[in-house]
Amino acid sequence: MPKATAHKSLSVEGTTPRAGVPYSLRSIVNGARKKIQDALLVASAMTSTNHDKGPSSGVTATVTTTSADDAEQLTGAANTTTSQTAAAPPSGGKEVREYPPSKYGFHELATKKKIVEGDFLKIPLVHGRNPSLPDPDFVLVEYRGHNQANKRAFDWILKTSPPVNCTAVGPKMLMQILDRNDIHGYDSRQFPNTAEILRNGHSLGSITEIKEQIVSTRNRNKAAKINSTSIAQYTINEISKRCRRTSAPASASSKLPPGHAPSAQLPPAENMVNLLFPNPSSPTQLISTRPPGALPVFTPTSSPELDNLLSTFRSTVFLPSHLISAQRTLLYRPKNHPLLTNPDEPATVKLGNEVLPLQPLNHLRDEPATRSTFARILALMTEGRDWANLPGFLEGLVVAKRRLKSQQLEKMVRRANMCGRQGVVLVCLQRVERTGVGLWDGEVVRECMRGAVMRAQEGGWAQEAVEGGWKLARAYWELMWMKTHTKAGGANGRMMPDVMGVMVLMSAARVVKAKESTEERMAELETFVQRLLGLWGTVDFGDEASSWHEANRKLLNWAPVLRGMQLAQKVLGKDSKLGSELGAKAHNDLEPMVLKALATVYAHKAEEGSRRGISLHEDLAQADL
């Protein structure tokens, strides 16, 4: 095979949510260990028996009569039954059975068609004779199929004088029915070993023997596929079969590994990768049920360090999150690493249209810390091409189940605003289900609205800058009404007075800068003013700020609101009902709090931290509005 087509591939498609194939390597091994041992033991015993003792051994019986419906004929025929002596028990005189008789019932016999309607169950009375029966040495019970009322139960006819109809779930209940009909003398402990199934006058064997035939057939089929005692080899086959559950329907031969006929042996254990990652041209191409979407692709940035961090996250965090659990086990378990480091046959995986190499990973050594690395990534993002990678990075974190704190998302929005990349924030919010950034966080909402003010501020409050800020604020406002941006226990930006104050500021500035008819814009302004006045009763200005940090935050939140109320009063008219009410609220309630916070921040030196609140207040006071 050409080397170019020898890679192992996985096509990531489908839309099933984070589910993945619900089978882990550990669960398969634990469930398969005893099955392998049983299959090999039974196969070995069958092989030696076939060569040394003939085709079968055990207890068999033949009834010479040709009628199974007549109890008296069966009674006479039972006396002529011949049997062979069973194999001697192991040393010590104690018989060892692989399948305890207590687990035997009628369900599997009926399911496997080993007992059908019209068959008889012959129960020997080994501990005493019963003169009331046609034959005092045994009792006959005719099988009549599943019970119509209870599908777990079976109907029987007890061949007594007169016959008795009865329903039993298993041998234990059948023995209770015998007791209620004064039939005694059977061996309750050896019931499955002594009770025989009769069909057309011939014995099919005891319940135990028939059940062991079923188990032997099942194990013989498994043993035909297992040519080694390696548990890993059986595990490989199980993974391969279960991973292909979501693939396209194929013939029965497609249940085997690609390229193997139904009668072929399994490949050696070292070819585990070939089973988990078959060739793309195979008709049994694996289809992952991981979350939809290809692996995030990052464009070159202005910083080599930033490129390295993004690449590291992509290969060590995002790539494993797009694989099923069995494939992730190959990456993380040291015993599987030789399968990935073979230079002659490198392991790869196909995600979407991209073929990626697979390398051994260690959770502690190779995977970077999420929060500290994210902080460093934000610090390195300065240009537009750097920020273009942010939405894809956040989507990768969501798929990998890496969560960011609320403070980190707030810082992300703040950094984007300072770099003039509010559009990137809007893209992340529009993809809320994939990025995990939503407007249910109050501080994120405030930073977003602050970004709309900064957009107009950067343009000197010119008409185009004001219009851009208004469109951005309006886009945030519309997102607040979407269900995807609401969460139980989260903030509701539509009910936050400081958020509504920004909408008043931007709509009032839009009216002031308008060069055409302002009727529609005036109507919008009045709507937002009425909303703000309706929420004013919920405003809690709190006590006087105890630190300059708290005072600075109050300036950031309320300085735009104060300027917006003053500008709206000017636009609406001081004598109008809305204008007068708005002016009273601003003068009596809001302005004193803002002036106190401003004095607190001015009292501290700039070296102690950023004075964003003062900068914003001064710019709004000097704006040409």
Side-chain angles (χ1 to χ4, degrees):
M1 179 182 293
K3 196 168 185 179
T5 60
H7 67 273
K8 283 65 64 180
S9 171
L10 170 68
S11 177
V12 176
E13 300 175 10
T15 57
T16 306
R18 166 76 178 139
V21 176
Y23 300 96
S24 65
L25 193 62
R26 178 177 298 176
S27 64
I28 296 175
V29 171
N30 293 338
R33 181 173 284 108
K34 190 175 186 309
K35 294 181 181 179
I36 298 171
Q37 296 171 354
D38 293 345
L40 295 173
L41 181 62
V42 172
S44 177
M46 290 173 55
T47 303
S48 61
T49 301
N50 291 339
H51 287 292
D52 301 336
K53 297 184 180 181
S56 63
S57 63
V59 179
T60 59
T62 304
V63 181
T64 57
T65 183
T66 58
S67 175
D69 297 329
D70 190 351
E72 295 181 358
Q73 292 182 8
L74 286 173
T75 302
N79 295 328
T80 63
T81 300
T82 61
S83 64
Q84 299 177 357
T85 304
S91 59
K94 184 177 180 180
E95 184 178 3
V96 179
R97 287 189 174 275
E98 186 178 354
Y99 303 97
S102 60
K103 294 185 178 180
Y104 291 173
F106 302 128
H107 295 83
E108 189 159 8
L109 300 182
T111 302
K112 299 296 182 181
K113 303 298 182 182
K114 296 298 182 180
I115 180 172
V116 297
E117 188 173 349
D119 290 349
F120 282 83
L121 182 65
K122 178 183 175 182
I123 306 172
L125 305 177
V126 295
H127 294 307
R129 299 167 62 86
N130 196 320
S132 63
L133 295 174
D135 189 295
D137 294 327
F138 61 86
V139 62
L140 292 174
V141 187
E142 183 180 0
Y143 175 66
R144 303 306 299 172
H146 281 276
N147 184 268
Q148 296 297 322
N150 184 3
K151 294 301 182 181
R152 297 177 62 251
F154 303 90
D155 291 335
W156 304 84
I157 298 178
L158 187 59
K159 292 297 184 177
T160 58
S161 298
V164 178
N165 294 322
C166 56
T167 301
V169 175
K172 184 176 180 180
M173 183 176 293
L174 187 59
M175 288 186 285
Q176 295 174 354
I177 294 173
L178 296 177
D179 291 339
R180 288 199 297 267
N181 288 274
D182 296 328
I183 298 176
H184 309 285
Y186 55 85
D187 190 341
S188 60
R189 293 188 177 182
Q190 294 295 322
F191 184 91
N193 299 332
T194 57
E196 296 181 80
I197 302 295
L198 305 179
R199 180 178 297 169
N200 297 329
H202 297 277
S203 174
L204 302 179
S206 66
I207 297 177
T208 299
E209 292 170 344
I210 297 175
K211 183 65 178 290
E212 288 181 342
Q213 292 175 10
I214 298 173
V215 176
S216 298
T217 302
R218 182 188 305 130
N219 289 341
R220 187 187 304 114
N221 295 335
K222 288 186 178 181
K225 298 181 181 180
I226 301 176
N227 301 303
S228 169
T229 57
S230 171
I231 293 178
Q233 190 171 4
Y234 180 81
T235 301
I236 295 168
N237 190 33
E238 290 296 310
I239 295 175
S240 180
K241 290 189 299 184
R242 292 173 181 178
C243 286
R244 282 193 294 269
R245 290 176 61 191
T246 57
S247 62
S251 60
S253 61
S254 66
K255 296 181 180 179
L256 295 176
H260 294 78
S263 59
Q265 298 180 356
L266 281 175
E270 56 265 27
N271 285 344
M272 177 186 290
V273 181
N274 288 327
L275 285 174
L276 295 179
F277 305 96
N279 191 280
S281 61
S282 169
T284 56
Q285 173 75 44
L286 297 187
I287 299 177
S288 175
T289 55
R290 304 297 292 172
L295 205 62
V297 178
F298 300 118
T299 57
T301 66
S302 61
S303 169
E305 182 183 357
L306 180 58
D307 289 332
N308 182 55
L309 289 176
L310 295 176
S311 176
T312 301
F313 253 92
R314 189 173 192 264
S315 59
T316 62
V317 178
F318 299 159
L319 173 58
S321 67
H322 282 73
L323 304 178
I324 61 175
S325 62
Q327 294 159 349
R328 289 197 301 271
T329 303
L330 283 176
L331 303 183
Y332 291 115
R333 286 196 178 178
K335 67 178 182 180
N336 296 330
H337 289 173
L339 302 175
L340 303 177
T341 56
N342 184 0
D344 298 329
E345 192 177 9
T348 60
V349 59
K350 185 176 182 181
L351 298 178
N353 297 322
E354 187 178 11
V355 178
L356 302 169
L358 293 177
Q359 297 296 332
L361 293 178
N362 182 285
H363 282 293
L364 299 179
R365 184 185 65 246
D366 299 324
E367 295 184 5
T370 303
R371 292 166 184 170
S372 60
T373 307
F374 183 69
R376 183 58 183 165
I377 288 175
L378 290 180
L380 293 172
M381 285 185 172
T382 55
E383 299 182 5
R385 55 177 174 169
D386 303 338
W387 287 96
N389 294 313
L390 182 62
F393 183 81
L394 294 174
E395 291 177 11
L397 291 181
V398 171
V399 175
K401 294 187 175 181
R402 298 294 188 96
R403 296 184 178 180
L404 297 173
K405 290 185 176 180
S406 173
Q407 297 88 333
Q408 290 181 295
L409 295 178
E410 177 190 356
K411 180 179 180 180
M412 177 193 74
V413 179
R414 182 168 65 251
R415 281 278 306 165
N417 292 339
M418 294 173 63
C419 295
R421 300 300 166 184
Q422 293 93 332
V424 175
V425 176
L426 182 60
V427 171
C428 294
L429 291 172
Q430 291 171 343
R431 303 181 190 176
V432 55
E433 295 178 340
R434 291 191 290 172
T435 61
V437 182
L439 295 175
W440 51 74
D441 188 298
E443 295 304 321
V444 171
V445 175
R446 291 186 176 97
E447 284 293 347
C448 288
M449 301 305 292
R450 202 168 294 141
V453 177
M454 294 176 67
R455 172 65 65 85
Q457 180 182 352
E458 292 169 358
W461 293 94
Q463 181 183 6
E464 293 183 359
V466 170
E467 193 66 27
W470 160 253
K471 290 181 179 179
L472 186 62
R474 184 72 184 185
Y476 291 145
W477 174 256
E478 291 176 353
L479 289 176
M480 294 178 199
W481 292 84
M482 298 176 61
K483 291 184 178 180
T484 53
H485 284 276
T486 59
K487 182 182 292 187
N492 184 356
R494 295 169 293 160
M495 303 300 292
M496 297 169 61
D498 48 344
V499 171
M500 195 63 61
V502 174
M503 296 301 298
V504 170
L505 170 63
M506 299 309 300
S507 59
R510 185 166 173 255
V511 172
V512 172
K513 295 295 182 179
K515 295 181 179 180
E516 52 189 20
S517 176
T518 60
E519 294 182 2
E520 181 180 351
R521 300 184 180 190
M522 283 291 293
E524 279 186 326
L525 173 61
E526 292 176 357
T527 300
F528 286 117
V529 168
Q530 291 173 351
R531 285 181 176 272
L532 176 60
L533 294 176
L535 294 173
W536 200 256
T538 64
V539 176
D540 181 14
F541 297 116
D543 299 331
E544 186 174 349
S546 58
S547 65
W548 82 267
H549 296 282
E550 184 179 351
N552 188 61
R553 182 170 291 275
K554 284 189 174 183
L555 280 178
L556 289 172
N557 294 339
W558 293 104
V561 180
L562 177 61
R563 187 69 177 96
M565 296 175 72
Q566 293 171 346
L567 187 60
Q569 182 188 22
K570 175 182 176 182
V571 172
L572 296 174
K574 296 182 179 180
D575 298 333
S576 65
K577 181 179 179 180
L578 288 178
S580 60
E581 187 176 357
L582 201 61
K585 300 291 185 183
H587 180 72
N588 298 329
D589 299 334
L590 188 55
E591 189 173 0
M593 185 272 292
V594 171
L595 293 177
K596 289 181 181 179
L598 189 62
T600 302
V601 177
Y602 267 126
H604 293 78
K605 296 181 181 179
E607 290 78 11
E608 297 183 9
S610 173
R611 294 185 175 183
R612 295 174 59 218
I614 292 180
S615 300
L616 181 61
H617 180 270
E618 291 178 349
D619 178 81
L620 290 171
Q622 298 172 6
D624 182 18
L625 293 172

